Amino acid sequence: MSVKDLFLKYVQIHSVSRMGAESNPSNELEWDIAKVVAEDMRAVGLKNVTLADNCYVYGWLDATPGYEDAPAIGFIAHMDTATDFCGENVKPRVIENYDGSDVELGAGRSLTAKVFPHLPSLAGKTLIVTDGTTLLGADDKAGIAEILTAVSEIIAEGIPHGRLCIGFTPDEEVGLGAAGFDLPLFGAKYAYTVDGGPINSVDYECFNAASASVSFKGFNVHPGSAKNTMINAALLAMEFNAMLPAGSIPAHTEGYQGFFHLLSVEGNTEAARLEYIVRDHDAHLFEARQKQLQHITQLMNDKYGGGTVTLELAQSYRNMAELVAPAFHLVENAKKAIAEAGLEPVSTPIRGGTDGATLSYMGLPCPNLGTGGWAAHGPYEHCTVEDMETMVGIIKGITALYAQHRD
Ligand SMILES: [Zn+2]
């Protein structure tokens, strides 16, 4: 099967994950795609294909004789789709020889160059879009199709390789794709997630991330006789937020700029609570942001009495750059393979986290490669067959480079 055929098959299998579910996988229907993917892994020639009881799928290719000393390289993608938009009854539409103009999807929605300025650059390619009622699922089914096609071509063309480890996960979209990943079983020394956007990207920097929950305790008396007595918890919450830098919010930041993001406000005179997430690529600035929250908490407790404000900080994930740094050949080899495919490689700081970041912290350095998908998580999601084919070549190129690599 071609990368296009595999892709079209996978996107038509409903595999949305579920936020807040206690089970593994988060949604029973993720088994449907896992079984199909496991079957295809066997079909392309992967060995010992294992569908684990938490719905992770693994498969391996032994090193070509003579290349046993090359490091074992992993490629990882996720099988679930985003919870943000309907992923059921996906009806992909293939537009051969796309002319670069706006595309009417259906359901009153159109793909326009006004919103997606890269569209004209896809002219001449085979564009795949939705019917406007669902997401497409290129995130990350393009990644699965590309990895499996690369494996099948590596075998067919006799490209020398070290040990290859292939893993597909459920539940990436609900933040749990790395959680159940069996690293000892997987056995890769270095790996890539294939779960990004443009195929010339290799991303290895992400945010450091924490969440902050701030509680305010008021002192409630009759408002008519409240002078010098009442402490209004809702006003305390407003005072707290007013002490944070107003420009340091998601709507005013980009690139390497971090932020405090106020997720929710709830409260009344008696009690109030603010929930934030805190993000910064720079580890020192990230610490400073948390210190700033502690400082404001201290100030307000000094002013209103100890215990008025309680701050709880919880660490979420860390920037993987520091973990990829000792294995920077991961980035260099990816860039080499991208350049060999005739593209200009780019690295962009990810303004979020990735499964690769978590895997990096678990001990497997894991930058993220592109898939060729655009506008993920909604009805405007689209990709081209040609970009997926080029990505197959990039994965093969990386594999060939690592056959020559010795630590
Ligand atoms: Zn993804």
Side-chain angles (χ1 to χ4, degrees):
M1 267 184 141
S2 66
V3 67
K4 174 186 163 194
D5 292 340
L6 283 177
F7 176 74
L8 292 175
K9 177 167 78 168
Y10 297 148
V11 297
Q12 293 178 71
I13 305 171
H14 187 204
S15 63
V16 67
S17 43
R18 237 175 1 157
M19 202 64 91
E22 305 264 289
S23 56
N24 293 304
S26 66
N27 196 341
E28 281 298 306
L29 53 77
E30 293 181 74
W31 286 108
D32 296 345
I33 188 162
K35 286 174 191 160
V36 173
V37 166
E39 216 32 68
D40 289 344
M41 290 169 81
R42 289 184 192 104
V44 299
L46 286 163
K47 301 286 181 255
N48 302 321
V49 172
T50 304
L51 175 49
D53 55 14
N54 57 1
C55 201
Y56 287 63
V57 201
Y58 308 94
W60 296 268
L61 214 53
D62 284 336
T64 315
Y67 292 85
E68 293 86 351
D69 309 344
I73 296 299
F75 291 99
I76 298 164
H78 66 88
M79 300 180 287
D80 61 318
T81 55
T83 56
D84 314 52
F85 203 78
C86 175
E88 190 172 10
N89 291 320
V90 174
K91 295 185 191 71
R93 177 153 65 102
V94 179
I95 304 172
E96 308 273 356
N97 200 12
Y98 169 56
D99 63 6
S101 63
D102 294 355
V103 181
E104 214 171 293
L105 298 173
R109 296 192 167 99
S110 296
L111 210 53
T112 65
K114 196 169 165 235
V115 183
F116 303 103
H118 65 274
L119 274 181
S121 75
L122 305 181
K125 295 183 175 177
T126 306
L127 182 69
I128 306 180
V129 298
T130 71
D131 67 358
T133 64
T134 68
L135 50 69
L136 180 59
D139 175 13
D140 187 22
K141 289 162 178 175
I144 304 173
E146 289 157 0
I147 292 169
L148 290 186
T149 307
V151 168
S152 107
E153 293 184 8
I154 285 165
I155 297 172
E157 296 166 21
I159 299 171
H161 56 85
R163 184 169 172 78
L164 284 184
C165 312
I166 308 299
F168 299 120
T169 81
D171 296 340
E172 189 273 347
E173 298 289 1
V174 293
L176 295 172
F181 201 91
D182 191 337
L183 278 191
L185 174 71
F186 192 56
K189 179 137 193 218
Y190 309 111
Y192 297 91
T193 48
V194 184
D195 187 22
I199 54 171
N200 61 336
S201 62
V202 46
D203 296 332
Y204 60 96
E205 296 174 285
C206 64
F207 274 144
N208 294 293
S211 58
S213 176
V214 198
S215 313
F216 303 86
K217 209 160 69 185
F219 189 80
N220 198 0
V221 291
H222 189 284
S225 51
K227 185 148 195 210
N228 297 328
T229 311
M230 179 192 278
I231 300 174
N232 185 334
L235 288 177
L236 292 176
M238 290 167 73
E239 185 176 342
F240 186 98
N241 189 68
M243 278 192 268
L244 289 172
S248 216
I249 61 172
H252 292 326
T253 50
E254 62 184 355
Y256 285 107
Q257 297 166 327
F259 56 70
F260 299 96
H261 175 38
L262 179 57
L263 288 176
S264 76
V265 179
E266 62 178 63
N268 49 35
T269 311
E270 191 75 27
R273 180 190 291 269
L274 301 177
E275 300 284 353
Y276 292 92
I277 58 172
V278 184
R279 300 287 188 264
D280 214 298
H281 289 97
D282 183 283
H284 297 292
L285 294 176
F286 180 61
E287 291 309 314
R289 284 182 188 282
Q290 297 179 76
K291 289 220 171 80
Q292 196 166 12
L293 293 170
Q294 287 162 341
H295 177 63
I296 297 170
T297 303
Q298 186 61 49
L299 272 179
M300 290 187 68
N301 280 331
D302 289 348
K303 185 171 169 187
Y304 296 103
T308 305
V309 184
T310 310
L311 168 68
E312 282 173 68
L313 285 166
Q315 304 303 311
S316 307
Y317 55 83
R318 303 283 301 182
N319 188 346
M320 67 175 141
E322 55 192 271
L323 298 153
V324 171
F328 205 68
H329 50 76
L330 275 167
V331 177
E332 290 163 347
N333 280 339
K335 287 190 170 178
K336 233 182 261 180
I338 290 165
E340 279 166 11
L343 300 168
E344 177 91 39
V346 292
S347 294
T348 318
I350 302 168
R351 290 179 67 75
T354 69
D355 269 2
T358 311
L359 290 171
S360 295
Y361 270 85
M362 287 161 66
L364 179 65
C366 199
N368 189 31
L369 301 171
T371 61
W374 299 92
H377 295 200
Y380 304 100
E381 193 178 12
H382 57 282
C383 64
T384 69
V385 173
E386 288 77 3
D387 279 1
M388 288 196 286
E389 287 169 349
T390 306
M391 196 58 215
V392 169
I394 291 169
I395 295 169
K396 287 160 65 181
I398 292 171
T399 303
L401 286 168
Y402 272 104
Q404 308 303 329
H405 181 100
R406 299 293 180 273
D407 283 316

